[in-house]
Amino acid sequence: MARILLIEDNPDNLDLMSYLLTAYGHAVTTAEDGESGIATALATRPDLVACDIHLPGVDGYGVAKALKADAALTAVPVIAVTALAMVGDREKVLAAGCTDFVPKPVDNDQLLAVISRSLAAQEPRRPRDERPEDHAPTPKAN
């Protein structure tokens, strides 16, 4: 399915999200702080990044800004996964360059839905006659 980079400093959260996404067929790479998350994203070019906001060193806001500043990563969705839930927090996360927001504690169904929606939004849209299923052989009638 997709190559997803998880950036999370809490080992339990990292293990849980990694297990969940792997179980749904995604290839998961992990990083435990902002600096290594940025380096990993630059090296691996993931399809999506899910990032905690409160990280040691470079925080999630800095990660999102750095990824959006790189030409090869600017279109990659960055999902904030955070305990920030006060009025205005969502807007601050989106203003930093994140494309969506999942509050902690993480609801597995919500995380999967946000990731699926974000991945679907970045897929190139092709005209109907260019889709592979439009060129499949027609079954013969008996």
Side-chain angles (χ1 to χ4, degrees), residues 4-95:
I4 298 177
L5 171 60
L6 295 177
I7 308 173
E8 170 65 64
D9 63 327
N10 179 301
D12 293 334
N13 290 340
L14 188 63
D15 288 346
L16 177 66
M17 288 188 292
S18 182
Y19 176 81
L20 176 68
L21 295 173
T22 300
Y24 275 82
H26 299 292
V28 178
T29 305
T30 62
E32 295 180 2
D33 60 60
E35 290 91 352
S36 63
I38 294 167
T40 301
L42 292 169
T44 64
R45 305 286 191 233
D47 299 314
L48 182 138
V49 175
C51 183
D52 186 14
I53 294 298
H54 294 293
L55 295 167
V58 177
D59 64 12
Y61 299 115
V63 169
K65 288 177 184 175
L67 298 183
K68 294 303 175 182
D70 185 275
L73 296 172
T74 193
V76 173
V78 178
I79 308 301
V81 182
T82 183
L84 295 174
M86 301 300 291
V87 173
D89 285 336
R90 179 180 176 85
E91 290 75 19
K92 186 176 178 184
V93 166
L94 297 176

Side-chain angles (χ1 to χ4, degrees), residues 98-122:
C98 294
T99 51
D100 214 327
F101 176 93
V102 175
K104 288 181 181 176
V106 173
D107 175 281
N108 294 345
D109 291 333
Q110 182 181 17
L111 177 65
L112 291 169
V114 168
I115 287 174
S116 293
R117 182 174 61 239
S118 296
L119 289 169
Q122 77 173 30

